[in-house]
Amino acid sequence: MSEAFDISDQAQDYNRFGLDGNPFPYSPVPAENPETYCGQEHATTTISSTVSKTLSTGKSKHLVITGKYGNGKSHTLKYTRSLLRDRDDIIVGYVAQPGEGFVDIYHEFMYDLGFAEVQNIAYEFLASVARDVTETNPVSGSAMRSLIDEGDVLLSEIVPEAIKRLSDITRFADFARAIIHMVYEDTNLYAWQWLTAEGIRYEQRKEMEIHTALDDDTMGVRAFTAFKNMLLELGYTAVFVFIDEFESIARLSSKDEQATLNSIRHLMDQNSEGLCLLFGCAPEVWQDVMSEYHAFSERIGQEVALRPLTNEHLYELVEEYLNRERATEESGIHPFTADGLDMILQRSQGNIRQVLSVCSRLLDAAAQAQRSEITAEFIEESI
């Protein structure tokens, strides 16, 4: 190894700060399940109202969250998802970016739910049918699966009726057959590929008696609506879809951008109940959407803008992160000093991503320099 490098796996010692480790991320990207959310009271109020209205009334309601890069749009969406995903009466899906059209949004939504979740929903539907056409009383998808595995209920007893009922509910017979085939060992992977719009061969579709391909935006809207209607029939309150980086639609051609927005508009028009869409979008792109695509933007209803951190929010954020690695009962912003945080706020202009990145670097620099405090003077020397 070259002597120019000094590579070591020795851990940095943060004991002088009363910390077990550096609590700030080296790469400040949103965690999958964030535990901390600071500031943005106006945004949390609006998001809470939107989500609560959907939960309490069952009526669809949508919201766009705007903010400059690094101000926390992804973090806000993922934090909201973390608050909702443990509820048994809703389905929550996160879409990292809208892709090339609505069929990509649908694909990402289904993948975020995952094979096991969709398969369990298929068993739930079979359970609802089994309660009516057999003498058994399965109360959940797992109970239905056990009855089938143990031979207490034969698939041949309930599948024809299940496909008929699900076709009536969804008005999409191919979707109904794909959902039911999620419980067959020899075809569930084909069914999953069809349901996620990955595309399967004609022979594989023929084996499941599926006649159409799920490969464009129109079919994506139809499949999503069918899925949501099935969930409402099973007693779910609503489906939540969080679409991040919505500004990437600006990279599409004008024709594709309009087609994507039209497809989402059709989705909203076809689902006046049980659907909540939350978008994360850069403000300049959202302004363009509002000025050029009225038919779409008017259906969103509300926008809330994330703001840069204030001095008070910065103190709260830094304290919450430090408390994660506190080795003592101490609290507060130590080893950062007040003038140090003031300078960080000034340099970062309140951008959360930059704040976390700078704090991480400064804590390491202070540890290596054996400093006990991170002052404005030290920051001036270090960055």
Side-chain angles (χ1 to χ4, degrees), residues 78-93:
K78 290 187 174 181
Y79 187 78
T80 307
R81 178 181 65 165
S82 72
L83 299 176
L84 289 172
R85 69 185 324 172
D86 290 335
R87 289 181 61 118
D88 294 331
D89 64 332
I90 62 172
I91 291 292
V92 187

Side-chain angles (χ1 to χ4, degrees), residues 149-168:
D149 290 346
E150 292 167 10
D152 294 325
V153 173
L154 298 177
L155 282 172
S156 57
E157 290 181 85
I158 55 175
V159 161
E161 177 65 16
I163 291 177
K164 179 179 179 302
R165 287 192 189 186
L166 193 52
S167 297
D168 291 342

Side-chain angles (χ1 to χ4, degrees), residues 249-358:
I249 63 165
R251 293 197 290 267
L252 300 177
S253 67
S254 178
K255 180 182 175 184
D256 289 343
E257 180 181 353
Q258 185 159 6
T260 301
L261 296 176
N262 279 338
S263 294
I264 299 174
R265 177 170 64 85
H266 291 150
L267 181 79
M268 291 188 282
D269 288 349
Q270 292 173 28
N271 294 278
S272 60
E273 293 184 351
L275 176 63
C276 181
L277 299 174
L278 263 62
F279 302 86
C281 186
E284 56 274 16
V285 172
W286 182 243
Q287 289 298 320
D288 290 343
V289 170
M290 282 202 299
S291 62
E292 296 176 18
Y293 302 101
H294 297 284
F296 170 78
S297 61
E298 288 171 356
R299 283 164 171 79
I300 299 295
Q302 204 167 4
E303 172 192 353
V304 64
L306 300 181
R307 300 168 182 161
L309 290 175
T310 64
N311 193 276
E312 179 185 352
H313 293 149
L314 175 61
Y315 277 51
E316 183 185 352
L317 179 75
V318 169
E319 182 175 0
E320 284 207 26
Y321 268 89
L322 289 170
N323 287 343
R324 293 181 181 183
E325 294 290 343
R326 292 283 189 205
T328 66
E329 297 296 323
E330 185 183 2
S331 62
I333 61 172
H334 177 78
F336 294 90
T337 62
D339 67 341
L341 287 190
D342 290 344
M343 177 166 283
I344 290 172
L345 184 65
Q346 182 184 349
R347 293 285 183 91
S348 66
Q349 298 185 324
N351 185 288
I352 298 172
R353 184 178 297 162
Q354 291 185 32
V355 165
L356 295 176
S357 177
V358 167

Side-chain angles (χ1 to χ4, degrees), residues 13-86:
D13 183 3
Y14 300 94
N15 284 334
R16 66 175 52 249
F17 308 128
L19 300 172
D20 290 330
N22 186 337
F24 302 101
Y26 290 117
S27 177
V29 295
E32 279 305 300
N33 293 296
E35 298 176 354
T36 302
Y37 196 85
C38 295
Q40 313 292 356
E41 288 85 358
H42 66 294
T44 58
T45 300
T46 306
I47 294 169
S48 298
S49 172
T50 300
V51 171
S52 299
K53 287 291 184 188
T54 302
L55 290 174
S56 62
T57 67
K59 295 179 181 177
S60 298
K61 194 172 174 64
H62 317 296
L63 174 71
V64 60
I65 302 165
T66 60
K68 294 184 177 179
Y69 290 102
N71 272 351
K73 297 187 295 296
S74 299
H75 182 85
T76 299
L77 289 178
K78 290 187 174 181
Y79 187 78
T80 307
R81 178 181 65 165
S82 72
L83 299 176
L84 289 172
R85 69 185 324 172
D86 290 335

Side-chain angles (χ1 to χ4, degrees), residues 92-106:
V92 187
Y94 174 80
V95 177
Q97 52 97 11
E100 304 294 321
F102 182 78
V103 73
D104 286 345
I105 294 174
Y106 168 79

